Each structure stands twice: as structure tokens, then as C-alpha cells.
Amino acid sequence: METVFGVEYSKPEVILMQDTGIGVAEAAARTCYDSFENSENEAIRSIEYAMPDRDTCGKINTIEESNLLNDLAWTHFHHSILEHANLSFLVRGTSRGVLQEHARHRIQAISVRSTRYTMSSVINAFVASQATNDKNFFIDKVLGFDMFVTCDEAYNRIEIGAIYDKLKYQASTVENFNDIAVAKSSLPLLEEFDGNSEMLFNALEEGKKKRNVGDAFKHVVTDNFKVDMVVTFNLRSLKNYFTLRDSGAAYFQIRWLAQEMMRKTPSKYLDLIIKKG
């Protein structure tokens, strides 16, 4: 956790799920120069004489160093060959504000936890709170969901209270609010557990989830919401990402993420994209 501008934030967690190695990038570069025989890696040299078999491809994908790639990256700045190496990261606990920043990086594959499909518990908590008209029930329940990158309980109670107020307003203006909030099969539960918010919440959680429930309630989502994502960069794009986002000028939350991704990136990649010294 870290305090920024008077507010305490949690930092994201990152794991490197997959990396394709630098061997294919060297093979690509040597294809350009027809120089397989000059490689210090035996698997690459063998391409000069025959198409690589499965075993050779496996050896290529385990290459840890390449003099040619280092020379092209730092002497000739021929970075297009780095696009043949890819890394995939699982990120947990960053914010939707960071997600907006990520969208500015054009060349990436990104899959993000969807508010469209994953807001059921929040909406169930609100519907249950209406059984006793208890705003504090909603705040206490949602507080336990660990939904925000901010860590200060007093601040988060304000955030959750604002979500409640927006939902309360929507409920007062939409005639069929419960129909859009819970699955049809769960509607009888509202009458069965009227007057008992805790039992109603538990029953709604155990029941069928309303399909696409987030469609009607995305207006409650703020930049403070935590998101999880899997993001894949080719090495050239990752170089650009680290250059821009590990900068003091970058938004502090995406800087934290870039720094954690960098810590989880093996040195064989960093040596080609991060200048030493």
C-alpha cells in the first residue's frame, strides 16, 4: 500500500503467465540477413541446412541470449524483430483508471474483468438493503467485497454510499427496477424475505444470476473500481510501454503496474529493451 495525495492505495499483483522466448526473434532477424551460420546458438545455425523439426523449435524457444538481437536493439535500433517475442501477464487489483490509460497503447491484446457480467453481488446487496431500507447494510456488505484500489475504510464508505445513492435514485425513477436487477426466478425471494436484508442477500447470491446485469448499472462504476486483466504485449510494444509508463510523468497507478510487470519480466527480454546504466 502507498499513500498518494492523502489517500491510501493498494498496488496491483502481476504474474507472467507465458513468454515465447527470444529465439524466434533471432531466427527472424537472421532470415533478414541470411546469416544463420553466424549464430552462437546451435539450434539457429541448424536452420541454414534444414527446416527445424519439433525438437529444434523447442531448443530455439529456450534460447537465453542472442548477440545479434543485442546488436540490432542497441546499435542499429532495428526493433521490428522484437515483435516476434510475446509476453502475457495476469494483472490483479489495478483500477479502471489504469484501464483507460492502457487503452492508449495500440498494440496489445487485453481481456478485462467485465462489469457487465460481474456486478451481481453489488446489485444483490442493494436489492437486499431495500428489504429494510438500510443504507448501512449496503455499505457494510459492499465494503467486504474489496472492490476498490483505495484502502481507507472511511473513504471507501463514502464511495459506496455514493453508489447506494445512485442506485436509490434509479430505483425511484424506474418502474420495473427489480425486474432489471434480479433474475426472474429470484423475484419471489423479495417477498419471502421482506424485512430481512441478510437472508434476502444470501438467497439472491445462491439463486440464478441476472444475465448482463451490468448493462443497467454501469453508471455506478468509478475509476476507483478494481479490475483484473490478462494483457499480452510483443516485446517492441512492451519496450514502448515501459519507456512511457515507468516515467515520473506517468499516472502513478499505471507506473506501479509497469514497475511490477518489469519486475516479473525475465532479464533476457529486459536486456533488449531497457538501457543499462
Side-chain angles (χ1 to χ4, degrees):
M1 291 185 289
E2 190 162 330
T3 300
V4 181
F5 304 128
V7 180
E8 194 174 62
Y9 292 83
S10 62
K11 289 189 172 182
E13 296 179 281
V14 174
I15 186 171
L16 179 64
M17 297 189 73
Q18 171 183 271
D19 57 299
T20 60
I22 62 173
V24 173
E26 182 183 341
R30 293 202 177 280
T31 297
C32 294
Y33 301 112
D34 194 18
S35 62
F36 298 105
E37 74 279 3
N38 295 330
S39 178
E40 73 274 27
N41 294 298
E42 181 180 354
I44 296 292
R45 290 198 301 272
S46 71
I47 300 176
E48 175 75 15
Y49 309 105
M51 292 290 283
D53 57 19
R54 184 180 296 273
D55 181 61
T56 301
C57 287
K59 292 177 181 177
I60 289 172
N61 288 325
T62 62
I63 287 174
E64 294 293 323
E65 295 181 355
S66 169
N67 293 333
L68 176 61
L69 291 184
N70 187 69
D71 190 40
L72 292 176
W74 297 117
T75 302
H76 302 292
F77 303 103
H78 182 183
H79 293 145
S80 65
I81 42 87
L82 300 180
E83 294 174 1
H84 295 283
N86 293 276
L87 298 91
S88 297
F89 301 88
L90 170 63
V91 177
R92 284 194 169 151
T94 192
S95 71
R96 293 192 68 82
V98 167
L99 181 59
Q100 292 176 339
E101 296 289 317
H102 251 268
R104 296 184 171 95
H105 291 269
R106 300 295 189 262
I107 304 176
Q108 62 175 310
I110 185 168
S111 299
V112 183
R113 187 175 190 269
S114 171
T115 51
R116 187 182 193 202
Y117 297 104
T118 60
M119 288 181 64
S120 291
S121 291
V122 175
I123 305 308
N124 286 344
F126 176 77
V127 172
S129 73
Q130 300 310 287
T132 52
N133 199 28
D134 188 350
K135 182 176 182 177
N136 285 327
F137 172 87
F138 177 80
I139 293 175
D140 291 340
K141 188 63 69 176
V142 175
L143 194 63
F145 296 163
D146 190 26
M147 291 174 51
F148 307 110
V149 292
T150 48
C151 303
D152 186 282
E153 180 176 332
Y155 182 89
N156 287 348
R157 292 183 77 88
I158 295 171
E159 181 90 80
I160 298 167
I163 293 173
Y164 178 93
D165 292 341
K166 287 188 280 188
L167 291 172
K168 187 74 171 177
Y169 177 82
Q170 186 179 15
S172 70
T173 57
V174 177
E175 185 176 350
N176 62 334
F177 181 87
N178 288 333
D179 292 337
I180 64 174
V182 299
K184 185 177 180 180
S185 60
S186 294
L187 289 174
L189 298 173
L190 277 60
E191 184 175 347
E192 180 179 351
F193 295 106
D194 187 29
N196 191 320
S197 292
E198 186 65 37
M199 291 186 68
L200 176 55
F201 174 76
N202 291 334
L204 290 172
E205 286 288 276
E206 292 172 2
K208 184 178 180 180
K209 298 294 186 290
K210 176 74 173 180
R211 180 173 172 79
N212 303 346
V213 67
D215 285 354
F217 303 111
K218 280 183 176 286
H219 61 88
V220 307
V221 177
T222 71
D223 284 354
N224 194 23
F225 268 48
K226 281 184 177 179
V227 296
D228 300 339
M229 62 184 181
V230 172
V231 59
T232 300
F233 283 98
N234 70 55
L235 194 54
R236 187 184 194 182
S237 293
L238 191 63
K239 173 182 172 65
N240 173 259
Y241 178 81
F242 286 160
T243 298
L244 296 179
R245 299 308 185 173
D246 188 35
S247 160
Y251 176 48
F252 67 92
Q253 288 189 44
I254 199 169
R255 185 168 66 250
W256 291 344
L257 178 55
Q259 290 169 347
E260 188 60 21
M261 288 170 61
M262 196 179 300
R263 279 191 285 270
K264 298 300 172 63
T265 299
S267 59
K268 64 182 176 183
Y269 303 107
L270 293 179
D271 289 347
L272 296 173
I273 61 176
I274 304 295
K275 193 69 174 177
K276 298 177 182 177

